[in-house]
Amino acid sequence: MMDQIATNRTDYLYERVVDEISHLVDQGTLRAGDRIPSIRKLSSKDGISVSTVLQAYLVLENKGIIEARPQSGYYVKSHRDLPAEPKPTHPPPTVTAVGVSQLVSQVFHAARDPRVTDLGAATPSPGLLPIKRLNRIVGTLMRRYDPAAINYDFPPGYEPLRRQIAKRSPEFGSSLTADDIITTNGAMEAVNLCIRAVAKAGDIIAIESPTYFGFLQIIESLGMKAVEIPTHARNGILLDELEQLIRRHKIKACLLCTNLSNPLGSSMPDKNKKELVELLARREIPLIEDDIYGDLCFAPLRPKTAKAYDKKGLVLLCSSFSKTVAPGFRVGWAAPGRFRSEVERLKFMNTMATATLPQMTISEFLENGGYDRHLRRLKKRFADQMRFVTDLVSQRFPKETKVTRPAGGYLLWVELPKRVNSLRLHAEALRQNISIAPGPMFSPKNRYENFIRLSCGQTESERIEEAIAKLGRIMKDIR
Amino acid sequence: MMDQIATNRTDYLYERVVDEISHLVDQGTLRAGDRIPSIRKLSSKDGISVSTVLQAYLVLENKGIIEARPQSGYYVKSHRDLPAEPKPTHPPPTVTAVGVSQLVSQVFHAARDPRVTDLGAATPSPGLLPIKRLNRIVGTLMRRYDPAAINYDFPPGYEPLRRQIAKRSPEFGSSLTADDIITTNGAMEAVNLCIRAVAKAGDIIAIESPTYFGFLQIIESLGMKAVEIPTHARNGILLDELEQLIRRHKIKACLLCTNLSNPLGSSMPDKNKKELVELLARREIPLIEDDIYGDLCFAPLRPKTAKAYDKKGLVLLCSSFSKTVAPGFRVGWAAPGRFRSEVERLKFMNTMATATLPQMTISEFLENGGYDRHLRRLKKRFADQMRFVTDLVSQRFPKETKVTRPAGGYLLWVELPKRVNSLRLHAEALRQNISIAPGPMFSPKNRYENFIRLSCGQTESERIEEAIAKLGRIMKDIR
């Protein structure tokens, strides 16, 4: 069916693939739920490179025409039963002090009760994590009586782990070496150190809108200011808007989650990442890029990072294994480009060292192949959970509700009818032992009042069903 | 021999004990190396309370008249063969920006080579740490398949560990509850968070002189300024001098290591701690108190902390298990008094959580009695090592060399002849594969040029002997 593509090669071959498949869907040849040819198949059949087909499928996925199902393939997406998606955000283009940490504390404290069904925290259910495998590794390490396991591991951190991370870097488009990397106490510390390496109190940081509350807290705690960039629910920040903000304000750094952002689930197309890096490079503005969800993209090959396009060392890439392997191990890392030695010094001053045993364990897990297998299973579970929760929301929440359709991860950003105040919803839900993350946590000035973030990281179907139904009932009563 | 004490009771009974024993030593009845009556014996014999005798012995120890030998008792101290002690320090009473971190990086990077005999880092030899016991605990925890071990443990941190720490708090004169405590990624993070909770960029922090370079780096990295307090090698900071500094400068907080300070090894007498707390309380100045070496005092009962005298919640006590159990576990804690909730919020923003498994392991180690037994053994080893190194220094270093006589820990602060520049000594020593910590690391403006810190945490006697001899030879050539 793709013969004309092979015979009409142009510089934008992937666009031809995109057009062709879009056309087949539009005319009804391919229908909702149909499987489309696998990347390998299309590539070998039509003599197009795998990477060209992959690029085309990513674009089609971003356009919402097809969807990747982990360990299965690509399918034409069904739109009939899904709730609509939220529109791009349009925060005011002003610089603001940040004040969310009081609210975040309240929400976090409240959710600690084990009777509470937690749809609020972005934590994968422990049942999805490779406990047994990690336990075996720790056991083996312990039996070696290696004194290194209990001794200091000073910055830049455990060398074999840094090597493992570097070895995987081509997957996100980079060719890092162990020396480029500094291990940290989770991505939270990585982002902290990176932002401190490039900016100081009073400086303006540009962020997505909405953005992860942890970022807002970091900015707040360091006495910096934030300016919010309008953001598309699928494609991430709007580059034109960022450019205007840069003209208007003296932006010291950008802090972005370029793949599967939290809470929006947006992923910047690789083309946009490249443009972003170039735009910032022209003005020597550093980009702190958080990629903690990047490995959780449902497509068989994960997307690149902005770091892949970094020629000037201005991108400080941060990530961790908290969302994929073991949150409580607190193993994260930074590849801070030209700010490497400053970040290393700050690491020493901030926490002196990262715990050694967790680093050794993760390193071993990466080295002996457990990670990729685990990741495939995990993504499949998250995809299922996300479909399950989305379906429940569309059945139980008010009709006007809009929901994001992230291409990975396990977070949904839900726009409720204007009349529903999510802080009131949160309070009432908590009284009924349900925890959600209210929208105002994700904005410096507590906007997004009729939004909530739902985590699909939990797996107890009955509890989730019950909780979503209850939330729906509460919303009916709120006005 | 103490009969007159029992019959002449006064309000200052302990001072009578002090006078009596000093007298017996002066007149030669008790000679260097003689064992003096045990606390229990003297107490039961003369009907004086154990705490009174203990207080007297601590004073005698501080005066350098007697010394505690771990697991053995108190002995009249020998002064003949020991090098003299350094005089109290007299840093200029001016406020300075801090600039040590470049130097610290150099020293640290250089010492990583395994061929280097490391007398520089304040790290106990792994052979002294309870590796087997910790390994067994980790193994047991892993076999339980407790998902908690790999999941987030959000601030304030692992509750059973906080309970264990609280349970031990009477030993340092406090009665903390689990709720008073926040666990951290080592004491380094605890001090960081506490200082950020009470001061901001530009503020003035009063510190000991010399002081731990990590503190200087924290102050430097946060854009704060330091003022140095003159310090006595045995009794810690001079309170009159601090009072004058407070009158002269707007001091925002004090940051002190009250027991076995690093590098000086000074311990403030409990009376001074009380006065310090009262002095600061009158002016509402917070005290960040670092007690990481407190459990390593050689006396059978450890000294109090300043926190013991804190009535207004102005003392933020920080400690860790890095110097006693497992540096690489990165388990520390803070008891931040009235700043508790601010420190908890900062903890979340800084690193989100402390690694769970190391916290569980330390908690179990504390709970099942391994800790105290281990501590007794460890202190005995450190006391032996410190005597060993001091003897070597008095044999091999130039005659004018002065050495501290700390009542615990494993650090010696060595004053070399004025002509010896310790940075040059460091450079030349490193070429001969020996690492030391040069004095300028311990002062904001790189003073203490003819001082070095020697760690007695290593145990390979031959290597140490050889290294000290080499250092002595290098010094002869330096001028």
Side-chain angles (χ1 to χ4, degrees), chain B residues 349-380:
Chain B
M349 294 178 213
N350 195 47
T351 54
M352 187 167 266
T354 305
T356 315
L357 182 58
Q359 291 189 81
M360 287 177 136
T361 307
I362 299 272
S363 176
E364 182 65 23
F365 187 58
L366 291 177
E367 186 162 3
N368 290 322
Y371 184 63
D372 290 301
R373 224 169 26 243
H374 160 67
L375 214 51
R376 282 194 296 274
R377 268 198 300 266
L378 186 65
K379 291 196 291 186
K380 180 146 174 29

Side-chain angles (χ1 to χ4, degrees), chain A residues 101 109 112 135 142 145 150-151 155 185 192 212 217 221 323 328 330 344-345 348-349 351-352 356, chain B residues 101 109 112 135 142 145 150 152 155 185 192 212 217 221 323 328 330 344-345 348-349 351-352 356:
Chain A
S101 72
H109 268 280
R112 255 173 227 157
N135 283 9
M142 291 287 98
Y145 291 109
I150 66 164
N151 217 343
N185 199 57
N192 242 293
Y212 169 47
Q217 290 186 293
S221 74
K323 302 302 176 188
R330 312 306 304 125
E344 185 179 327
R345 284 204 295 151
F348 186 92
M349 295 178 211
T351 54
M352 189 165 265
T356 315
Chain B
S101 73
H109 268 280
R112 253 172 228 159
N135 283 9
M142 291 287 98
Y145 292 108
I150 66 163
Y152 282 121
N185 199 57
N192 243 295
Y212 169 48
Q217 290 188 294
S221 74
K323 302 302 177 188
R330 312 307 304 126
E344 184 179 329
R345 283 204 296 153
F348 186 91
M349 294 178 213
T351 54
M352 187 167 266
T356 315

Side-chain angles (χ1 to χ4, degrees), chain A residues 56-77:
Chain A
Y57 282 18
L58 286 174
V59 171
L60 284 163
E61 208 187 343
N62 261 328
K63 287 188 166 186
I65 294 168
I66 65 173
E67 65 180 346
R69 296 188 191 163
Q71 289 182 300
S72 175
Y74 285 91
Y75 292 81
V76 178
K77 209 160 170 178

Side-chain angles (χ1 to χ4, degrees), chain B residues 77 233 260 263-266 298 386 403-409 411-413:
Chain B
K77 209 161 170 176
L260 299 172
L264 210 45
S266 64
F298 295 153
M386 209 130 79
V403 185
T404 51
R405 296 167 196 170
L411 299 175
L412 293 174
W413 180 241

Side-chain angles (χ1 to χ4, degrees), chain A residues 187-441:
Chain A
M188 193 76 163
E189 184 179 38
V191 170
N192 242 293
L193 303 178
C194 288
I195 205 166
R196 286 173 64 187
V198 302
K200 57 183 194 310
D203 284 342
I204 301 169
I205 312 296
I207 54 174
E208 292 145 290
S209 179
T211 204
Y212 169 47
F213 57 83
F215 291 171
L216 295 172
Q217 290 186 293
I218 290 173
I219 293 171
E220 179 180 351
S221 74
L222 296 172
M224 297 172 186
K225 286 172 190 155
V227 62
E228 296 171 278
I229 312 164
T231 307
H232 185 280
R234 265 191 214 157
N235 297 330
I237 57 160
L238 304 181
L239 289 170
D240 294 348
E241 302 276 353
L242 172 60
E243 201 160 2
Q244 283 183 37
L245 288 173
I246 289 174
R247 276 200 210 104
R248 193 189 287 228
H249 304 291
K250 195 174 173 304
I251 289 173
K252 197 61 188 272
C254 283
L255 170 55
L256 302 174
C257 193
T258 49
N259 292 314
L260 300 170
S261 70
N262 175 359
L264 208 47
S266 66
S267 294
M268 292 179 73
D270 287 352
K271 188 169 69 70
N272 290 22
K273 287 174 193 146
K274 184 163 182 282
E275 274 179 41
L276 167 69
V277 170
E278 288 164 358
L279 166 67
L280 296 178
R282 283 196 293 277
R283 293 173 157 98
E284 293 280 321
I285 299 174
L287 165 64
I288 298 148
E289 179 181 32
D290 177 20
D291 187 54
I292 44 166
Y293 294 100
D295 276 359
L296 292 175
C297 285
F298 296 153
L301 290 183
R302 53 151 297 160
K304 291 187 181 176
T305 56
K307 180 81 179 168
Y309 304 100
D310 181 28
K311 288 176 184 156
K312 296 176 93 175
L314 276 168
V315 179
L316 302 89
L317 178 63
C318 301
S319 193
S320 85
F321 300 94
S322 302
K323 302 302 176 188
T324 48
V325 183
F329 275 25
R330 312 306 304 125
V331 176
W333 55 275
R338 69 161 86 154
F339 306 97
R340 196 203 157 286
S341 52
E342 181 60 14
V343 169
E344 185 179 327
R345 284 204 295 151
L346 285 166
K347 165 66 192 176
F348 186 92
M349 295 178 211
N350 196 45
T351 54
M352 189 165 265
T354 305
T356 315
L357 183 57
Q359 289 189 82
M360 286 177 137
T361 308
I362 298 272
S363 177
E364 182 65 24
F365 187 58
L366 291 177
E367 188 164 1
N368 289 323
Y371 183 63
D372 290 300
R373 225 170 23 244
H374 160 66
L375 214 52
R376 282 193 296 272
R377 268 199 298 267
L378 186 65
K379 292 195 291 185
K380 180 147 173 35
R381 289 300 299 273
F382 283 153
D384 292 347
Q385 281 305 111
M386 207 130 79
R387 249 193 305 272
F388 175 63
V389 175
T390 303
D391 283 349
L392 288 173
V393 165
S394 74
Q395 290 157 27
R396 304 296 196 163
F397 280 21
K399 260 208 197 75
E400 317 92 289
T401 301
K402 293 173 184 165
V403 186
T404 51
R405 295 165 196 172
Y410 49 91
L411 300 175
L412 293 175
W413 180 242
V414 183
E415 180 175 357
L416 305 170
K418 277 255 185 294
R419 64 177 175 77
V420 181
N421 178 300
S422 64
L423 291 173
R424 288 183 55 202
L425 177 63
H426 170 259
E428 181 53 35
L430 206 58
R431 285 208 296 158
Q432 301 190 29
N433 284 334
I434 303 163
S435 169
I436 54 168
M441 287 169 75

